[in-house]
Amino acid sequence: MAKPGLTATDIASVLRSAASTAGWSLCVGAGTSRGAFPTWDGLVETLFEAWVHSPGTNPVEEPAKLISILRKESAADALIQAAQDRLLLDDNSFALWLAEELYRNLRSKLSDREWSTTSRILSAKNPGEIDFDCWNEFTPIRAAHFSACSASAIANVVSPLFGTELAPSSVLSFNAEPLLFGLINHSTRLLLGASPEPGALRKTMDVVTRSTSNIRPTRIPYVYCHGLLPVPGILQGPRQPFTSEDKLVFSESQYLALSNQAYSWQSSTFLSAATTSHLVFIGVSLSDPNMRRWLSWAHSVRQSELLAIDSNHRGDSTRHWWLRTRPRTTPGDRKHAESWIESSVSHLGIRIVWLDDWDDVEMALSRMLGK
């Protein structure tokens, strides 16, 4: 029987106790950037619109009707794959083009100076890489354009934890943009002030985009499990690139390639975190077959080991947490829907923390950390 979900107001300090033993890791998805960047469905619409207006395309009589039909026929990743084929782009060109489309709406809302500041923030590898004035100049931009994103709330909670035993063991990102990474660096830099103590501006997170990425024991690995697109207009260094267009998992072919591999650095990294620490999922749907398979493996091993230790063990052992909003349905059916959703992830070792609204993320995460 699945464990009933908890709420943002009654959740105990489960991560505070976990931090001193197994540790905890943050696992984030596209939902944390909602509002700043397009969803996968939104990206499909953007790609389709670009194809409609591309020079080689014959006139489309009813674009809205055509995209509606295509969305019913295929999943978003399949349509992204189709868009690459329709636009006649190779993998590298498509990745760069995707980056332009991913940032297009955000750039349109910013002045040239604001975009210059924002792009520098999102591309900075650590709080000491750029001057304090730039970090400070980003503050009103963040308030105006990113405050509604749960990534901003997460950064507010996580940044003060660096250097303490409550800090996460790692951050696993399934986004191809660095919004949360940049906001954590921004919050960290503001906490240090204009005149930080010597050594305070040291690098706090390591960007991990491939199996050969450097990871220092004193830093928190920030793992881009689905690759990382470049920020348009920012030049990357040849020795330590901030991006990994070759590791993108956006299209169906890329996703299937990852699914069919017996071993991948993404699976080993995720399984290591799922097996040894407590995962906190935010902004993910948990419908990803790869993620569910990895969680199922880890949970199955844990259940077997618990049964070997105690032959009477029969209950669910949930060690991971999924912060998500309540299902949108009638008050009478909501409890039924919640129970079904709770059962759909209990065999993955996950217990749900129900949020009335995404504004509750900061409160829920803070309470889980005992703050």
Side-chain angles (χ1 to χ4, degrees):
M1 192 72 174
K3 292 182 179 179
L6 301 171
T7 69
T9 55
D10 66 16
I11 183 72
S13 55
V14 291
L15 297 182
R16 175 172 285 274
S17 56
S20 59
T21 53
W24 69 283
S25 294
L26 186 62
C27 186
V28 298
T32 60
S33 303
R34 187 181 297 274
F37 293 98
T39 62
W40 273 39
D41 285 336
L43 191 58
V44 166
E45 292 183 4
T46 299
L47 297 173
F48 177 80
E49 190 71 17
W51 169 77
V52 168
H53 294 100
S54 62
T57 302
N58 293 326
V60 179
E61 295 179 4
E62 297 182 65
K65 184 176 181 179
L66 179 55
I67 185 60
S68 177
I69 292 173
L70 294 175
R71 289 178 65 178
K72 291 177 182 177
E73 287 286 333
S74 304
D77 54 354
L79 290 175
I80 291 175
Q81 178 73 57
Q84 180 178 354
D85 182 66
R86 293 289 80 204
L87 292 165
L88 305 176
L89 296 172
D90 59 33
D91 289 346
N92 186 62
S93 298
F94 188 58
L96 296 176
W97 191 81
L98 265 180
E100 291 289 341
E101 295 304 317
L102 187 67
Y103 284 90
R104 184 179 300 281
N105 185 51
L106 175 60
R107 291 182 72 174
S108 69
K109 298 177 181 178
L110 304 175
S111 67
D112 290 344
R113 182 178 178 85
E114 287 175 330
W115 170 247
S116 176
T117 299
T118 301
S119 60
R120 290 184 67 193
I121 297 297
L122 295 181
S123 301
K125 295 180 181 177
N126 61 78
E129 186 171 310
I130 53 182
D131 57 87
F132 181 73
D133 288 344
C134 186
W135 293 107
N136 210 29
E137 190 174 323
F138 179 68
T139 301
I141 300 174
R142 174 176 175 174
H145 299 282
F146 303 110
S147 60
C149 300
S150 54
S152 188
I154 295 169
N156 288 338
V157 177
V158 171
S159 298
L161 305 179
F162 286 10
T164 74
E165 67 170 13
L166 290 178
S169 304
S170 62
V171 180
L172 308 178
S173 174
F174 286 83
N175 297 336
E177 40 76 12
L179 180 60
L180 177 60
F181 185 87
L183 295 181
I184 290 175
N185 277 333
H186 177 248
S187 294
T188 302
R189 186 64 186 89
L190 293 186
L191 286 172
L192 295 172
S195 302
E197 297 180 0
L201 291 178
R202 65 186 182 278
K203 193 175 182 181
T204 55
M205 296 183 290
D206 278 321
V207 174
V208 181
T209 56
R210 59 193 75 236
S211 62
T212 55
S213 295
N214 292 325
I215 303 176
R216 297 289 181 85
T218 56
R219 301 172 187 162
I220 296 173
Y222 194 105
V223 186
Y224 288 94
C225 297
H226 280 180
L228 177 60
L229 287 168
V231 178
I234 297 294
L235 296 176
Q236 303 296 327
R239 288 179 59 83
Q240 291 184 313
F242 188 67
T243 60
S244 61
E245 299 92 336
D246 59 317
K247 300 297 182 182
L248 289 175
V249 185
F250 262 83
S251 66
E252 185 176 40
S253 64
Q254 293 160 332
Y255 186 85
L256 292 176
L258 178 61
S259 300
N260 292 329
Q261 291 177 6
Y263 167 84
S264 68
W265 70 270
Q266 292 100 325
S267 63
S268 63
T269 301
F270 186 92
L271 279 169
S272 176
T275 303
T276 61
S277 68
H278 300 258
L279 296 181
V280 178
F281 295 93
I282 307 178
V284 299
S285 66
L286 282 180
S287 60
D288 184 316
N290 280 337
M291 190 184 294
R292 293 182 71 88
R293 183 170 67 252
W294 298 334
L295 284 167
S296 177
W297 290 347
H299 185 62
S300 178
V301 169
R302 178 175 173 78
Q303 290 289 80
S304 297
E305 291 179 350
L306 289 174
L307 187 60
I309 296 172
D310 179 6
S311 59
N312 294 318
H313 173 74
R314 292 291 184 275
D316 287 325
S317 175
T318 53
R319 60 190 274 112
H320 309 311
W321 304 89
W322 183 21
L323 277 60
R324 57 152 296 162
T325 53
R326 297 182 185 278
R328 295 181 178 180
T329 184
T330 62
D333 285 344
R334 192 175 72 181
K335 290 305 279 186
H336 292 305
E338 289 177 358
S339 296
W340 274 81
I341 295 170
E342 289 160 2
S343 292
S344 73
V345 295
S346 65
H347 65 289
L348 306 179
I350 295 173
R351 192 171 185 181
I352 296 177
V353 180
W354 292 110
L355 309 175
D356 291 325
D357 189 85
W358 282 114
D359 290 342
D360 293 340
V361 165
E362 188 166 351
M363 173 178 63
L365 195 54
S366 294
R367 287 185 61 86
M368 293 172 76
L369 289 160
K371 300 179 69 66

